Amino acid sequence: AQSVTQLDSQVPVFEEAPVELRCNYSSSVSVYLFWYVQYPNQGLQLLLKYLSGSTLVESINGFEAEFNKSQTSFHLRKPSVHISDTAEYFCAVSEGTSYGKLTFGQGTILTVHP
Amino acid sequence: NAGVTQTPKFQVLKTGQSMTLQCAQDMNHEYMSWYRQDPGMGLRLIHYSVGAGITDQGEVPNGYNVSRSTTEDFPLRLLSAAPSQTSVYFCASSLWAGELFFGEGSRLTVL
């Protein structure tokens, strides 16, 4: 069975500082990997995804994540955060054709301070 | 432009009562699923469906029923509510395995 571990429950940073949110997964088969973001009192939105090909994937708002198969990790990074990036971030894994079934990590609350 | 619509947004129940959380999507997605979100536990899959007439259990199915009579609708039924079912419930749909579109959530409190 697959599982996802987000290593930090809360990450406080100052505006314009870099940030890394860590995610490790375990699975016995090939996986698809995702980062979702949840703003207060809203549903989750897809931030970025790794399906195949280049191990470095990017979002439209400056986040990037790198798939590292040997370390079974998919860490999320941003070189300079904004106040508006304050949200909860979830790493998730899907085992191939698992028909819309994702396994989520516990979530990391990113708080950006002015 | 509705996407995934959940009703109600808030509900308070007494222990033992039953209720149905409604979920509808207008994107013609085959896959639909229900998750519950609890602090520090992420989202856990309750039930999912790969198409009309087909449902299956997820990680935490006990105490919940689902049915899928149409592509658009996927209601979640609580048979006899318990305080342990106090949670935020999210319905999601997807066209393929992975990229989920979520509703805004239904916050349920069981007293």
Side-chain angles (χ1 to χ4, degrees), chain A residues 53-71:
Chain A
S54 173
T55 58
L56 184 66
V57 292
E58 299 178 352
S59 72
I60 58 173
N61 58 351
F63 283 94
E64 64 179 30
E66 186 162 18
F67 170 55
N68 188 319
K69 188 174 182 178
S70 62
Q71 298 189 2

Side-chain angles (χ1 to χ4, degrees), chain A residues 32 34 36 38 41-46 49 51 88 90 94 96-107, chain B residues 31 33 35 37 40-45 48-50 57 90 94 96-105 107:
Chain A
Y32 300 146
F34 307 85
Y36 282 81
Q38 184 180 32
N41 299 313
Q42 294 186 25
L44 280 72
Q45 304 170 33
L46 180 67
K49 61 189 177 189
L51 306 180
E88 188 162 15
F90 292 92
S94 168
T97 56
S98 55
Y99 303 112
K101 293 167 53 182
L102 296 191
T103 298
F104 285 85
Q106 301 90 331
Chain B
Y31 310 132
S33 47
Y35 290 83
Q37 182 180 21
M41 303 188 73
L43 278 77
R44 292 179 292 168
L45 182 63
Y48 66 100
S49 169
V50 300
Q57 297 180 350
F90 287 98
S94 60
W96 63 279
E99 187 165 353
L100 301 184
F101 291 83
F102 284 87
E104 294 190 348
R107 186 176 296 273

Side-chain angles (χ1 to χ4, degrees), chain B residues 51-87:
Chain B
I54 307 170
T55 64
D56 205 348
Q57 297 180 350
E59 180 185 357
V60 288
N62 292 341
Y64 307 95
N65 271 359
V66 292
S67 60
R68 184 97 180 269
S69 57
T70 67
T71 299
E72 294 78 19
D73 299 301
F74 191 44
L76 178 72
R77 297 181 186 84
L78 280 70
L79 309 173
S80 177
S84 61
Q85 294 179 303
T86 293
S87 186

